[in-house]
Short mmCIF file of all heavy atoms in Angstrom, two decimals:
data_model
loop_
_atom_site.label_atom_id
_atom_site.label_comp_id
_atom_site.label_asym_id
_atom_site.label_seq_id
_atom_site.Cartn_x
_atom_site.Cartn_y
_atom_site.Cartn_z
N LEU Q 306 7.58 -198.87 17.24
CA LEU Q 306 8.11 -197.51 17.41
C LEU Q 306 8.35 -197.23 18.87
O LEU Q 306 7.45 -197.32 19.71
CB LEU Q 306 7.15 -196.48 16.82
CG LEU Q 306 7.63 -195.01 16.92
CD1 LEU Q 306 8.93 -194.82 16.17
CD2 LEU Q 306 6.55 -194.08 16.38
N SER Q 309 12.45 -193.92 23.01
CA SER Q 309 13.32 -193.85 24.19
C SER Q 309 14.82 -193.94 23.86
O SER Q 309 15.62 -193.35 24.56
CB SER Q 309 12.93 -194.92 25.20
OG SER Q 309 13.05 -196.22 24.65
N ALA Q 329 29.13 -181.80 6.80
CA ALA Q 329 30.45 -182.08 6.23
C ALA Q 329 30.38 -182.17 4.70
O ALA Q 329 31.08 -181.43 4.00
CB ALA Q 329 30.99 -183.40 6.80
N GLY Q 334 30.51 -180.29 -1.06
CA GLY Q 334 29.92 -180.63 -2.35
C GLY Q 334 29.16 -179.51 -3.01
O GLY Q 334 28.97 -179.52 -4.23
N ILE Q 344 45.46 -157.83 -14.24
CA ILE Q 344 46.73 -157.85 -14.99
C ILE Q 344 47.11 -156.42 -15.31
O ILE Q 344 46.37 -155.70 -16.00
CB ILE Q 344 46.58 -158.67 -16.28
CG1 ILE Q 344 46.13 -160.09 -15.97
CG2 ILE Q 344 47.90 -158.68 -17.05
CD1 ILE Q 344 45.85 -160.93 -17.20
N PRO Q 361 34.03 -180.87 -8.24
CA PRO Q 361 34.96 -181.52 -7.33
C PRO Q 361 36.40 -181.02 -7.43
O PRO Q 361 37.33 -181.76 -7.11
CB PRO Q 361 34.87 -182.98 -7.76
CG PRO Q 361 34.67 -182.90 -9.24
CD PRO Q 361 33.80 -181.67 -9.45
N ASP Q 371 39.43 -168.80 -22.10
CA ASP Q 371 38.60 -169.81 -22.77
C ASP Q 371 38.99 -170.01 -24.23
O ASP Q 371 38.82 -171.09 -24.77
CB ASP Q 371 37.13 -169.39 -22.67
CG ASP Q 371 36.19 -170.55 -23.00
OD1 ASP Q 371 36.67 -171.70 -22.99
OD2 ASP Q 371 35.01 -170.31 -23.27
N CYS Q 377 47.33 -157.38 -23.11
CA CYS Q 377 48.54 -156.55 -23.01
C CYS Q 377 49.35 -156.61 -24.31
O CYS Q 377 50.60 -156.74 -24.27
CB CYS Q 377 49.39 -156.97 -21.82
SG CYS Q 377 48.59 -156.76 -20.22
N THR Q 383 44.41 -170.61 -25.32
CA THR Q 383 43.53 -171.15 -24.28
C THR Q 383 44.36 -171.72 -23.13
O THR Q 383 45.28 -172.51 -23.36
CB THR Q 383 42.63 -172.26 -24.86
OG1 THR Q 383 41.83 -171.71 -25.91
CG2 THR Q 383 41.73 -172.85 -23.78
N HIS Q 385 44.18 -173.29 -19.05
CA HIS Q 385 43.39 -173.80 -17.92
C HIS Q 385 44.20 -173.71 -16.63
O HIS Q 385 45.43 -173.64 -16.66
CB HIS Q 385 43.02 -175.27 -18.16
CG HIS Q 385 42.01 -175.46 -19.26
ND1 HIS Q 385 42.37 -175.39 -20.58
CD2 HIS Q 385 40.68 -175.72 -19.22
CE1 HIS Q 385 41.30 -175.60 -21.34
NE2 HIS Q 385 40.26 -175.80 -20.55
N PHE Q 397 35.95 -187.55 0.35
CA PHE Q 397 35.38 -186.93 1.55
C PHE Q 397 33.87 -186.87 1.48
O PHE Q 397 33.18 -187.25 2.43
CB PHE Q 397 35.95 -185.51 1.67
CG PHE Q 397 35.48 -184.76 2.90
CD1 PHE Q 397 36.06 -184.96 4.14
CD2 PHE Q 397 34.46 -183.83 2.79
CE1 PHE Q 397 35.62 -184.27 5.26
CE2 PHE Q 397 34.00 -183.14 3.90
CZ PHE Q 397 34.60 -183.35 5.13
N ILE Q 402 28.34 -189.09 2.73
CA ILE Q 402 27.04 -189.62 2.29
C ILE Q 402 26.81 -191.01 2.85
O ILE Q 402 25.70 -191.34 3.29
CB ILE Q 402 26.98 -189.62 0.75
CG1 ILE Q 402 26.96 -188.18 0.22
CG2 ILE Q 402 25.75 -190.39 0.25
CD1 ILE Q 402 27.01 -188.08 -1.29
N MET Q 409 20.93 -192.98 9.26
CA MET Q 409 19.47 -193.09 9.12
C MET Q 409 19.02 -194.53 9.30
O MET Q 409 18.02 -194.80 9.96
CB MET Q 409 19.04 -192.57 7.74
CG MET Q 409 19.03 -191.07 7.61
SD MET Q 409 17.97 -190.48 6.26
CE MET Q 409 18.66 -191.39 4.88
N HIS Q 420 14.20 -204.18 20.01
CA HIS Q 420 13.98 -205.49 20.65
C HIS Q 420 14.72 -206.60 19.89
O HIS Q 420 15.19 -207.56 20.49
CB HIS Q 420 12.49 -205.80 20.74
CG HIS Q 420 11.75 -205.72 19.45
ND1 HIS Q 420 11.53 -204.54 18.77
CD2 HIS Q 420 11.19 -206.70 18.68
CE1 HIS Q 420 10.86 -204.78 17.66
NE2 HIS Q 420 10.65 -206.09 17.58
N ASP Q 426 23.19 -211.33 18.70
CA ASP Q 426 24.61 -210.97 18.75
C ASP Q 426 25.06 -210.26 17.50
O ASP Q 426 25.96 -209.42 17.54
CB ASP Q 426 25.46 -212.23 18.95
CG ASP Q 426 25.28 -212.85 20.33
OD1 ASP Q 426 24.93 -212.10 21.25
OD2 ASP Q 426 25.46 -214.06 20.46
N ASP Q 432 27.14 -203.46 14.04
CA ASP Q 432 27.10 -202.02 14.25
C ASP Q 432 28.45 -201.51 14.74
O ASP Q 432 28.95 -200.47 14.30
CB ASP Q 432 26.01 -201.69 15.30
CG ASP Q 432 25.64 -200.22 15.32
OD1 ASP Q 432 26.07 -199.48 14.41
OD2 ASP Q 432 24.92 -199.82 16.26
N ALA Q 460 46.78 -173.23 -5.79
CA ALA Q 460 46.65 -173.13 -7.25
C ALA Q 460 45.87 -171.91 -7.67
O ALA Q 460 46.00 -171.47 -8.82
CB ALA Q 460 45.98 -174.40 -7.79
N ASN Q 487 35.16 -166.94 -1.48
CA ASN Q 487 34.97 -167.18 -0.05
C ASN Q 487 35.00 -168.70 0.19
O ASN Q 487 34.12 -169.44 -0.18
CB ASN Q 487 33.63 -166.61 0.41
CG ASN Q 487 33.48 -166.65 1.93
OD1 ASN Q 487 34.22 -167.35 2.63
ND2 ASN Q 487 32.54 -165.91 2.45
N ASN Q 492 36.54 -174.58 4.56
CA ASN Q 492 37.25 -174.70 5.84
C ASN Q 492 36.35 -175.37 6.88
O ASN Q 492 36.81 -176.21 7.67
CB ASN Q 492 37.69 -173.33 6.35
CG ASN Q 492 38.73 -172.67 5.43
OD1 ASN Q 492 39.54 -173.38 4.81
ND2 ASN Q 492 38.74 -171.36 5.36
N ALA Q 506 33.93 -191.94 17.00
CA ALA Q 506 34.78 -192.66 17.95
C ALA Q 506 34.09 -192.70 19.33
O ALA Q 506 34.15 -193.70 20.03
CB ALA Q 506 36.14 -191.97 18.06
N ASN Q 508 30.85 -192.59 19.78
CA ASN Q 508 29.72 -193.49 19.65
C ASN Q 508 30.15 -194.96 19.68
O ASN Q 508 29.38 -195.83 20.11
CB ASN Q 508 28.99 -193.17 18.35
CG ASN Q 508 27.74 -194.02 18.17
OD1 ASN Q 508 27.57 -194.67 17.15
ND2 ASN Q 508 26.84 -194.01 19.13
N HIS Q 519 31.57 -207.02 25.52
CA HIS Q 519 31.55 -206.20 26.73
C HIS Q 519 30.79 -206.92 27.84
O HIS Q 519 31.22 -206.90 29.00
CB HIS Q 519 30.89 -204.84 26.44
CG HIS Q 519 30.79 -203.97 27.65
ND1 HIS Q 519 29.67 -203.94 28.47
CD2 HIS Q 519 31.67 -203.09 28.19
CE1 HIS Q 519 29.85 -203.07 29.45
NE2 HIS Q 519 31.06 -202.55 29.32
#
Side-chain angles (χ1 to χ4, degrees):
L306 181 61
S309 61
I344 302 175
D371 196 16
C377 297
T383 300
H385 291 76
F397 182 82
I402 293 175
M409 283 201 306
H420 54 291
D426 290 334
D432 195 11
N487 189 344
N492 295 328
N508 183 234
H519 178 267

